Amino acid sequence: MALSLRLHNLLSPTFRPKPPPSSKATLSPPNPSLSLLSSSPLPHLLLKASHSLTIRAASSSSSSSPTTVADPQGIKINLVPTKPIEGQKTGTSGLRKRVKVFQQENYLANWIQALFDSLPSEDYKNGVLVLGGDGRYFNREAAQIIIKIAAGNGVGKILVGKEGILSTPAVSAANGGFIMSASHNPGGPDYDWGIKFNYNSGQPAPESITDKIYGNTLSISEIKVADIADVDLSTLGVVKYGNFSVEVVDPVSDYLELLENVFDFQLIKSLLQLDFRFMFDAMHAVTGAYAKPIFVDNLGASPDSISNGVPLEDFGHGHPDPNLTYAKDLVEILYSENGPDFGAASDGDGDRNMILGRSFFVTPSDSVAIIAANAQEAIPYFRGGPKGLARSMPTSGALDRVAEKLKLPFFEVPTGWKFFGNLMDAGKLSICGEESFGTGSDHIREKDGIWAVLAWLSIIAYRNKDKKPGEKLVSVSDVVKEHWATYGRNFFSRYDYEECESAGASKMIDYLRELISISRTGDKYGKFGPSTSLDTIMILDAESYHPTGNYVLQFADDFTYTDPVDGSVASKQGVRFVFTDGSRIIYRLSGTGSAGATVRIYIEQYEPDASKHDADAQMALKPLIDLALSVSKLKEFTGREKPTVIT
């Protein structure tokens, strides 16, 4: 048991949801009655022989030296002079920059201190915070900085994953804390690093907190740093410094226990005992630490079913983003002549997933809809039925039709998992997803890659529970095509243009906002003459015609969301063109990169006719794709000829 501060409230036969947050959120204080703090003597924790990592005064304050003050914690606290550093605006996914930026003097330390300055002291004083990450380069050094500043600000205890490893879902399961990750972005000395703070329910910190952090980075003058030695993160156990302590914990055990109480592991085992071949690509990222204990040791998968299962600081020179472009080795295996029955991959910090069948790709939009449609019968956690469903605005409408058929509350929210958290805490939402390969439920407050894989294995296992060895199994493609036959198919694709020049990308979005301001219901998009006010921006070749004519606009807007729980408003969340046949084109600038701007274009078309469901998505969507590029003048604004990634 490693992260039991919250799980003892979840692990019950009724799978109770997390209680709604109180009016004043607080982090859990130490509780000696819990197994985490009262277990048998822990292994001896060695301290590094090297000297402690130090945090220095900013160069502009070189004439000043740290001031040492007494502290009730029983350790010396150094007040290190510093000055504000530009570029510390926190986004929906935390602060992400190149490693070299974080290695600047006090860059990370300033942000961590600004975070503590942004929280009510009762939220962390003498309390417990969790610390972990995806194993990427700079995590080890960053962990020591975070531990010392946490101690300097009065935190009672830090739980840190062995070797600094904890997946984002595992941190969320433990009620939150610091996540050292740049998610799906590449790692290594020349690539990306990031830091994110998850709040009291394990959800990403809300804008009310991140805005305060940024404000405090603009006025920071000193950092509170405990004068303690570096902690050896390679050995399980507890080390104490006065009243402050650090416990290095197993990153897997309690997260696994939570999953065992969500899914029927015996049912999944029975599937893997049939002639069913499974492959999981950890992409040399954090789920490599979880794959063997979960899939091999507990579910009985063959050890060779785990690919790239050792977490590496540079992800093996790969890009840990589970999509058709960056997980191409897995894709080639699943599309080979005698490929496995099921394949899956997860990203850098373990919160994203990709699902494949033999020669078959499941879009993330379809994936969440299929999980929701099958959850009640295949997954014990949902035996009483989901409370509600939700998707991000750019995600296809496949989930909408499931909610309608099951008569469940449905929510369309902006991109960013924090918008789901409020709905979950209010008891309004059970299953949700984003087209950006994120899928999850209210078992935690983050998306969860391994959860999604186990959900799919549960569905396939349930469909094959009466099969005997040697009998033909219901496949991934069978499940998807049955779903399409029932609900219709949403052809969907996303075009990513990564690291565009920011000014040009912003001008493109501004242009689109001007365009929607003059758009009217009934405007026609395609090859029209002067009868439409927009004829000057779109003239398509004959082969690009919509199969039934041209596209007629239902509405165009810049998506605004009003949270039904707290009334907060999020505006300018994506420019949408929605047509009368249900087709959509959406444009967004993504905030998940560390350099330049990522332009994302989402293209969707609904097809109820089952005889057309087997068409290639790119061919089915070609008229809309051509239209999307023409409307946006993307090449003119960004200079980009081709997308970096197509999904």
Side-chain angles (χ1 to χ4, degrees):
M1 299 291 290
L3 301 174
S4 301
L5 293 175
R6 180 163 82 77
L7 298 186
H8 72 292
N9 291 321
L10 282 176
L11 303 182
S12 68
T14 56
F15 299 102
R16 293 173 295 177
K18 300 170 78 170
S22 61
S23 59
K24 183 169 239 180
T26 57
L27 294 169
S28 304
N31 184 346
S33 68
L34 299 181
S35 61
L36 170 64
L37 304 179
S38 61
S39 57
S40 58
L42 291 156
H44 175 59
L45 182 64
L46 300 175
L47 295 179
K48 288 184 177 179
S50 61
H51 62 80
S52 298
L53 180 149
T54 58
I55 299 172
R56 297 166 290 177
S59 56
S60 65
S61 307
S62 57
S63 60
S64 303
S65 58
T67 302
T68 300
V69 297
D71 186 85
Q73 294 279 71
I75 52 181
K76 291 193 300 182
I77 307 299
N78 294 325
L79 305 181
V80 178
T82 191
K83 67 172 185 176
I85 302 173
E86 292 184 2
Q88 296 200 305
K89 177 70 173 175
T90 305
T92 57
S93 299
L95 184 65
R96 292 182 186 174
K97 302 286 181 181
R98 296 296 195 200
V99 167
K100 287 180 172 60
V101 174
F102 276 102
Q103 289 176 323
Q104 295 176 64
E105 187 173 63
N106 287 356
Y107 191 91
L108 174 60
N110 274 18
W111 191 88
I112 299 297
Q113 183 61 57
L115 174 106
F116 283 112
D117 292 342
S118 303
L119 301 174
S121 61
E122 60 266 29
D123 278 13
Y124 61 86
K125 288 284 187 181
N126 300 315
V128 179
L129 287 177
V130 178
L131 171 63
D134 56 14
R136 71 177 56 228
Y137 184 85
F138 189 63
N139 275 16
R140 294 173 186 272
E141 181 179 355
Q144 305 297 340
I145 294 172
I146 295 167
I147 288 168
K148 291 173 185 181
I149 297 175
N153 282 272
V155 172
K157 183 169 187 171
I158 291 286
L159 300 176
V160 58
K162 185 179 180 183
E163 306 291 1
I165 291 286
L166 273 176
S167 71
T168 288
V171 173
S172 182
N175 253 25
F178 292 100
I179 300 173
M180 302 178 292
S181 174
S183 187
H184 54 288
N185 294 357
D190 298 321
Y191 290 99
D192 298 349
W193 195 83
I195 183 73
K196 183 170 74 169
F197 183 70
N198 280 24
Y199 212 42
N200 63 304
S201 292
Q203 80 276 29
E207 287 185 7
S208 59
I209 296 296
T210 57
D211 287 347
K212 287 181 181 178
I213 296 172
Y214 179 58
N216 285 327
T217 66
L218 301 177
S219 60
I220 190 168
S221 60
E222 68 178 19
I223 308 164
K224 300 174 184 176
V225 185
D227 187 7
I228 59 177
D230 285 3
V231 177
D232 177 9
L233 302 181
S234 65
T235 306
L236 299 177
V238 179
V239 61
K240 289 182 174 291
Y241 304 96
N243 293 326
F244 172 73
S245 63
V246 178
E247 181 166 4
V248 181
V249 300
D250 171 17
V252 179
S253 59
D254 277 6
Y255 172 69
L256 170 59
E257 187 174 348
L258 172 61
L259 294 177
E260 287 177 323
N261 284 270
V262 171
F263 299 101
D264 183 345
F265 269 38
Q266 191 56 48
L267 176 66
I268 299 172
K269 279 183 181 179
S270 68
L271 173 68
L272 297 178
Q273 289 169 357
L274 297 173
D275 184 22
F276 180 87
R277 290 183 297 146
F278 162 81
M279 176 162 282
F280 178 79
D281 187 351
M283 304 191 81
H284 285 305
V286 74
T287 52
Y290 296 77
K292 183 178 181 295
I294 294 173
F295 296 121
V296 177
D297 298 343
N298 278 272
L299 292 174
S302 169
D304 60 12
S305 64
I306 308 301
S307 174
N308 301 316
V310 178
L312 299 175
E313 288 189 333
D314 63 355
F315 306 117
H317 303 292
H319 189 145
D321 195 354
N323 59 44
L324 296 172
T325 298
Y326 295 124
K328 61 182 180 181
D329 291 345
L330 178 68
V331 174
E332 288 176 359
I333 292 171
L334 266 294
Y335 276 77
S336 63
E337 184 176 349
N338 191 32
D341 301 281
F342 182 89
S346 190
D347 71 329
D349 64 331
D351 63 357
R352 299 188 184 208
N353 73 94
M354 178 174 68
I355 303 297
L356 297 163
R358 182 181 297 167
S359 300
F360 195 89
F361 168 62
V362 184
T363 71
S365 296
D366 279 342
S367 180
V368 65
I370 291 166
I371 290 172
N374 291 274
Q376 186 168 4
E377 61 182 9
I379 302 172
Y381 184 83
F382 301 107
R383 206 147 272 163
K387 295 185 284 288
L389 307 177
R391 62 166 172 83
S392 67
M393 180 272 290
T395 302
S396 91
L399 186 64
D400 310 35
R401 276 174 282 282
V402 175
E404 182 179 4
K405 181 174 182 180
L406 299 182
K407 295 180 170 50
L408 292 172
F410 174 78
F411 305 90
E412 181 182 39
V413 307
T415 295
W417 210 260
K418 63 184 179 182
F419 295 104
F420 296 127
N422 268 6
L423 297 168
M424 291 177 180
D425 284 345
K428 295 177 179 292
L429 174 62
S430 291
I431 298 172
C432 53
E434 296 180 333
E435 51 67 40
S436 54
F437 295 84
T439 323
S441 85
D442 60 348
H443 69 295
I444 58 172
R445 296 300 180 262
E446 289 273 11
K447 49 187 175 281
D448 190 341
I450 286 181
W451 175 92
V453 176
L454 292 173
W456 265 95
L457 288 173
S458 297
I459 292 167
I460 301 299
Y462 183 82
R463 293 293 187 92
N464 290 287
K465 59 184 173 60
D466 297 323
K467 298 286 186 180
K468 295 179 174 55
E471 292 184 346
K472 187 177 186 300
L473 300 179
V474 176
S475 68
V476 170
S477 63
D478 291 336
V479 171
V480 175
K481 290 178 180 180
E482 286 175 19
H483 184 89
W484 291 342
T486 301
Y487 295 95
R489 180 177 181 184
N490 287 74
F491 287 101
F492 182 86
S493 188
R494 188 183 88 190
Y495 279 37
D496 287 3
Y497 299 81
E498 297 173 319
E499 297 190 3
C500 293
E501 197 273 323
S502 296
S506 295
K507 286 179 181 178
M508 188 192 84
I509 295 297
D510 290 342
Y511 166 76
L512 288 167
R513 286 174 177 150
E514 290 178 10
L515 188 58
I516 63 174
S517 71
I518 63 170
S519 297
R520 299 291 182 269
T521 298
D523 283 342
K524 296 175 181 178
Y525 286 66
K527 191 170 183 180
F528 282 87
S531 61
T532 171
S533 61
L534 301 175
D535 65 297
T536 57
I537 62 164
M538 86 184 62
I539 302 293
L540 298 183
D541 295 333
E543 70 233 31
S544 298
Y545 278 8
H546 185 288
T548 60
N550 294 274
Y551 294 91
V552 179
L553 188 70
Q554 181 176 344
F555 68 87
D557 68 358
D558 198 347
F559 181 61
T560 296
Y561 174 71
T562 301
D563 193 303
V565 178
D566 61 19
S568 61
V569 177
S571 59
K572 296 184 176 179
Q573 296 296 307
V575 175
R576 302 188 293 179
F577 292 83
V578 180
F579 302 101
T580 53
D581 67 347
S583 303
R584 298 193 304 165
I585 301 172
I586 298 166
Y587 304 88
R588 286 184 60 250
L589 296 184
S590 171
T592 60
S594 64
T598 296
V599 174
R600 286 188 170 148
I601 304 178
Y602 310 81
I603 306 102
E604 175 184 3
Q605 182 171 304
Y606 177 64
E607 179 53 72
D609 186 348
S611 68
K612 300 177 181 178
H613 287 170
D614 287 334
D616 176 80
Q618 295 302 311
M619 294 301 295
L621 292 169
K622 188 178 187 304
L624 268 179
I625 293 167
D626 291 342
L627 187 61
L629 297 175
S630 176
V631 168
S632 64
K633 298 186 179 181
L634 181 135
K635 181 180 177 182
E636 178 180 330
F637 283 109
T638 69
R640 302 295 286 270
E641 293 273 359
K642 296 180 180 179
T644 315
V645 179
I646 298 175
T647 53

